[in-house]
């Protein structure tokens, strides 16, 4: 099967890149890309036929905060082989404003104006200390932003056809221990900043695989 990677961008698109499968008896004649929300009830799955020379593909207009699944299969004279599959949770898009008192130029009168506030995206979310039932998440505190009131941690079990019930937890420090996880199970996690106006943009998600249960 092809080696597929998927990367989201801030403008709501996803950039797919792949390498062809290892050389076999039959040359690759093309690829079939299929993608859509990782929801068995969804009817918006898309299929795209691609040429054998293509190695990248950009998908526009993905919905924010949705788990997508991408599958890519190579076609030979024998038909389509096994599909490479990647899941991607797109970040939420949040717009916030804050009302501040400012003094109009040339006057001494203070006025209420609405100023666009940008809540930064968290960076370098990592997982460590992974065992069969817990994991430690760490991330960098955003620089040049002094209105942080905490963080919101979102995590969920991932399956090939979607997610289980998602869980959220608000914390005050840039680290958290997630306990009570299932052994030998894959999770997805993301974190956002909390300000007085609510949550900001979620970080890019990371996948976490817990260890098998010890006998």
């Amino acid at each position: 099967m092809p080696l597929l990677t998927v990367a989201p961008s801030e403008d709501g698109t996803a950039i797919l890149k792949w390498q062809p499968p290892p050389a076999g008896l039959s040359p690759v004649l093309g690829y079939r890309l299929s993608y859509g929300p990782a929801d068995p009830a969804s009817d918006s799955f898309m299929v795209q036929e691609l040429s054998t020379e293509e190695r990248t593909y950009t998908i526009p207009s993905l919905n924010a905060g949705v788990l997508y699944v991408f599958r890519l299969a190579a076609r030979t004279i024998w038909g389509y082989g096994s599909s490479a599959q990647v899941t991607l949770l797109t970040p939420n898009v949040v717009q916030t404003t804050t009302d501040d008192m400012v003094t109009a130029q040339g006057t001494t009168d203070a006025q209420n104006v609405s100023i666009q506030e940008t809540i930064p995206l968290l960076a370098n979310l990592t997982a460590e200390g992974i065992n069969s039932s817990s994991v430690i998440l760490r991330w960098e505190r955003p620089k040049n932003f002094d209105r942080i009131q905490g963080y919101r941690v979102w995590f969920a079990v991932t399956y090939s056809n979607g997610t289980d019930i998602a869980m959220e937890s608000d914390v005050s420090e840039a680290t958290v221990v997630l306990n009570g996880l299932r052994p030998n199970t894959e999770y997805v996690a993301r974190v956002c900043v909390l300000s007085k106006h609510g949550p900001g943009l979620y970080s890019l998600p990371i996948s976490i695989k817990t260890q098998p249960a010890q006998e």
Side-chain angles (χ1 to χ4, degrees):
M1 68 179 67
L3 178 61
L4 175 66
T5 61
V6 182
S9 60
E10 295 181 355
D11 60 357
T13 64
I15 301 174
L16 284 66
K17 298 181 179 181
W18 63 90
Q19 294 295 327
L25 297 177
S26 299
V28 174
L29 302 177
Y31 299 93
R32 173 174 289 173
L33 170 66
S34 55
Y35 64 94
D39 181 354
S42 174
D43 60 357
S44 59
F45 225 69
M46 305 295 292
V47 178
Q48 183 73 35
E49 299 291 340
L50 304 172
S51 70
T52 184
E53 293 83 11
E54 293 183 80
R55 295 290 182 270
T56 64
Y57 188 80
T58 299
I59 299 175
S61 304
L62 297 181
N63 294 325
V66 174
L67 183 72
Y68 284 88
V69 60
F70 304 86
R71 300 187 182 101
L72 184 71
R75 177 172 59 87
T76 69
I77 60 173
W78 306 106
Y80 289 95
S82 300
S83 296
Q85 178 171 300
V86 174
T87 55
L88 170 70
L89 185 62
T90 55
N92 277 337
V93 176
V94 178
Q95 293 183 346
T96 61
T97 59
T98 178
D99 291 334
D100 291 331
M101 295 295 293
V102 300
T103 301
Q105 186 175 3
T107 73
T108 57
D109 296 331
Q111 302 175 2
N112 274 323
V113 297
S114 182
I115 301 174
Q116 191 75 17
E117 179 185 55
T118 301
I119 301 178
L121 185 71
L122 287 174
N124 294 332
L125 175 62
T126 60
E128 57 187 58
I130 303 172
N131 57 37
S132 61
S133 62
S134 66
V135 63
I136 301 172
L137 297 181
R138 299 186 189 276
W139 55 90
E140 289 186 4
R141 178 186 175 92
K143 299 177 181 179
N144 303 320
F145 186 78
D146 57 1
R147 301 185 183 184
I148 295 176
Q149 296 189 346
Y151 306 91
R152 177 161 295 168
V153 180
W154 181 100
F155 64 105
V157 180
T158 60
Y159 295 102
S160 60
N161 63 345
T163 58
D164 199 351
I165 299 175
M167 295 149 279
E168 288 185 339
S169 177
D170 291 352
V171 298
S172 58
E173 302 296 329
T175 183
V176 66
V177 180
L178 303 181
N179 292 303
L181 305 182
R182 304 176 188 175
N184 198 32
T185 301
E186 186 176 357
Y187 289 82
V188 63
R190 53 184 182 161
V191 181
C192 69
V193 171
L194 295 177
S195 73
K196 67 179 181 179
H197 300 289
L201 294 173
Y202 272 109
S203 66
L204 296 179
I206 60 170
S207 295
I208 302 163
K209 180 71 175 292
T210 55
Q211 298 292 328
Q214 297 182 352
E215 299 294 338

